[in-house]
Amino acid sequence: MDFRLSVERLSRKKEFYSVCKELDAQKPASYVGGEDIYNDDDCWDFHKYCAKEFAKRGWLSLGWPAEHGGTGDIMDRVIFTEAKGYYDLPGVDVFGVGMLAPTLFAAGSEEIKRRFLPGIANAEVSWCELWSEPNAGSDLASLSSTSIRKGDEFILNGQKTWNTGAHRADWAFGVYKSDPVGKKHHNLTFLLFDMKSQGVTVRPLQYMNGKHVYNEVYLDDVRVPAGNIVGLENGGWDVVNVLAGFERSNIELVMGLVKKIEELTSFCNKTKRNGKYLSQDPVIRHRIAGVACEIEAARMLAYRIADQQSRSEMGLMDAAAMKVFGSELAERVADVAMEVLGPYGQVKHSRFASMNGVWEYAYQANFLSVIALGTNEIQRNIIAWYGLGLPRMK
Ligand SMILES: Cc1cc2nc3c(=O)[nH]c(=O)nc-3n(C[C@H](O)[C@H](O)[C@H](O)COP(=O)(O)OP(=O)(O)OC[C@H]3O[C@@H](n4cnc5c(N)ncnc54)[C@H](O)[C@@H]3O)c2cc1C
């Protein structure tokens, strides 16, 4: 792959970075990291504001086919995502824009695309993901919530868990058992429904940092029109596999790390300990340089995936490799920052808090990504089976 950007693309890149920089200056004081949008009203309003700014420029539909209002191509989307990640901005619904839209292009009927893509592109509709259940996470196909067909409707019952942002979402995509006696992997249906539907109850799952980001969702005879199906009845597992690839190819996380390392470096250049700048300490220098190299490698891996996506050739192994490397790198970067900052890194709201408490947040938030979107053990299994041809374990 040729990494040089054309003149035209360089100018788009400049525009992406310039708009994101302007929005960065408008962040509310309560915004420390991306998932704050679900916890805090000011942050949610800021997320919606950024989303509208992006939507009016066509940046939520970058790389979409022109007949669905698409602008630019997948590489434009990658560069926009880099800019947004660099400034750690909200404004792109990870579930709607990042996961559902590409899935609909791959697996949705024309009717479904026509109904749901405009709301994603113009930032009118927010989505959440209802997959995991108390007894079905890694082994998602063993889920037990049901969607039983009755005429022109499916009737949904059961419980979902860990549903990020479900309390803010307008609509949900999820997967349910539609054939209780059918064979595993051939008995699930992928459905979309309005979160205001009768029978939907959302309960908070408070995270250890005190924030309300995650939820449990209870479904009690929720009636969903049969027309809200994606893929085939009992063919939901195929749709899950399509979506899972989009879930795991994330350059935004990497760009967030680029910015954080720049800020940490600048902090080390300005801060003295025992009469010397932190940046003069050889151990600190080596630790920061080490993760900076890894971040650059992660960026190349993300480009490789974008290149594959643009040719519709993204393999499960590459997405899994990116997920493992990116998420564990985020943990290593937070570890390095904590070592550099010492006890000050653990303070959030105080005059002693270094760098606006960003590492206090990152240290607690970063290890989520080794679990969410499919744990890293499962990703390593995927790399072993699909990538390396090692035998599949029973
Ligand atoms: C912060 C966060 C946000 C999330 N957001 C959402 C969301 O929005 N929507 C949603 O539907 N879900 C969400 N999830 C759920 C997430 O997808 C699941 O937590 C994840 O898939 C793991 O499932 P589990 O928690 O049931 O763990 P389990 O599947 O019970 O796994 C427990 C442990 O066993 C290991 N393990 C299991 N099977 C194997 C195997 N075959 N080989 C090796 N090791 C194995 C796992 O790696 C893990 O370490 C979120 C989770 C987190 C933590």
Side-chain angles (χ1 to χ4, degrees):
M1 159 177 194
D2 184 353
F3 288 112
R4 278 170 306 185
L5 302 181
S6 65
V7 176
E8 201 181 61
R9 216 186 282 285
L10 274 173
S11 120
R12 294 203 83 173
K13 178 174 177 176
K14 216 168 142 192
E15 194 190 351
F16 293 146
Y17 272 82
S18 135
V19 170
C20 288
K21 190 174 177 190
E22 273 173 36
L23 291 170
D24 181 46
Q26 300 172 52
K27 276 180 186 162
S30 50
Y31 184 95
V32 181
E35 294 205 322
D36 283 336
I37 62 168
Y38 300 117
N39 178 62
D40 178 286
D41 288 342
D42 288 343
C43 295
W44 179 254
D45 291 344
F46 180 61
H47 162 67
K48 295 299 274 184
Y49 171 69
C50 292
K52 285 287 176 192
E53 288 296 308
F54 297 148
K56 76 182 184 202
R57 294 173 171 85
W59 294 354
L60 298 184
S61 48
L62 286 168
W64 291 15
E67 69 265 28
H68 289 288
T71 55
D73 61 18
I74 288 189
M75 209 52 211
D76 286 323
R77 189 197 304 161
V78 172
I79 296 168
F80 164 62
T81 309
E82 271 190 9
K84 196 186 98 47
Y86 182 77
Y87 287 104
D88 192 13
L89 284 175
V92 174
D93 176 9
V94 58
F95 299 107
V97 178
M99 300 178 197
L100 186 61
T103 303
L104 294 188
F105 286 121
S109 65
E110 279 311 310
E111 158 74 5
I112 279 277
K113 287 187 235 176
R114 197 185 47 72
R115 279 176 60 203
F116 291 102
L117 289 171
I120 296 174
N122 62 26
E124 291 295 335
V125 181
S126 301
W127 288 83
C128 67
E129 178 186 58
L130 305 186
W131 284 22
S132 309
E133 298 184 3
N135 294 313
S138 302
D139 186 12
L140 183 64
S142 66
L143 60 81
S144 56
S145 65
T146 52
S147 56
I148 303 303
R149 178 96 187 229
K150 279 203 179 147
D152 287 342
E153 291 179 329
F154 287 93
I155 311 296
L156 272 51
N157 279 289
Q159 184 198 341
K160 297 289 180 176
T161 193
W162 278 113
N163 310 110
T164 306
H167 57 302
R168 300 271 185 190
D170 303 302
W171 276 71
F173 61 81
V175 65
Y176 313 89
K177 193 179 280 187
S178 41
D179 179 359
V181 292
K183 220 171 131 203
K184 196 175 174 186
H185 299 112
H186 299 276
N187 56 353
L188 305 175
T189 296
F190 194 102
L191 292 165
L192 314 177
F193 70 79
D194 188 332
M195 286 294 282
K196 288 185 289 303
S197 307
Q198 205 172 352
V200 179
T201 307
V202 180
R203 293 196 189 143
L205 264 184
Q206 214 81 21
Y207 189 54
M208 62 177 165
N209 62 8
K211 297 193 175 178
H212 175 197
V213 172
Y214 315 109
N215 301 276
E216 296 174 321
V217 175
Y218 292 81
L219 307 169
D220 189 8
D221 282 336
V222 179
R223 295 165 63 178
V224 177
N228 289 9
I229 190 172
V230 180
L232 299 174
E233 192 170 338
N234 297 323
W237 190 246
D238 295 337
V239 186
V240 164
N241 280 325
V242 169
L243 196 145
F246 295 114
E247 257 191 326
R248 292 166 194 153
S249 52
N250 192 348
I251 190 169
E252 196 163 353
L253 174 85
V254 178
M255 287 312 289
L257 297 178
V258 170
K259 179 82 164 14
K260 285 208 177 75
I261 283 295
E262 282 177 11
E263 288 168 351
L264 185 63
T265 307
S266 153
F267 177 84
C268 292
N269 276 329
K270 285 189 248 155
T271 310
K272 283 186 175 175
R273 189 180 292 157
N274 301 328
K276 273 190 164 182
Y277 286 108
L278 289 172
S279 53
Q280 290 173 310
D281 181 324
V283 176
I284 289 178
R285 291 161 67 91
H286 287 185
R287 296 281 277 139
I288 294 180
V291 285
C293 292
E294 290 189 79
I295 291 170
E296 204 48 33
R299 182 148 54 153
M300 295 304 119
L301 196 52
Y303 280 157
R304 181 179 138 88
I305 289 174
D307 181 50
Q308 288 173 338
Q309 264 182 346
S310 67
R311 288 182 276 114
S312 303
E313 284 176 10
M314 188 179 73
L316 273 179
M317 156 152 161
D318 294 282
M322 180 66 208
K323 202 275 178 177
V324 170
F325 191 59
S327 58
E328 292 179 6
L329 176 56
E331 287 189 318
R332 286 195 292 280
V333 171
D335 278 348
V336 169
M338 278 298 178
E339 281 176 35
V340 171
L341 301 176
Y344 299 100
Q346 296 168 33
V347 182
K348 150 164 81 167
H349 300 304
S350 140
R351 66 196 170 90
F352 296 109
S354 306
M355 301 173 65
N356 194 29
V358 70
W359 293 106
E360 189 272 350
Y361 175 92
Y363 192 75
Q364 294 188 68
N366 279 353
F367 80 80
L368 296 173
S369 48
V370 305
I371 303 169
L373 313 178
T375 68
N376 284 13
E377 288 79 18
I378 297 300
Q379 305 308 313
R380 285 190 162 88
N381 282 344
I382 291 172
I383 294 168
W385 301 331
Y386 293 98
L388 305 176
L390 293 170
R392 191 168 183 145
M393 305 295 283
K394 290 286 173 208

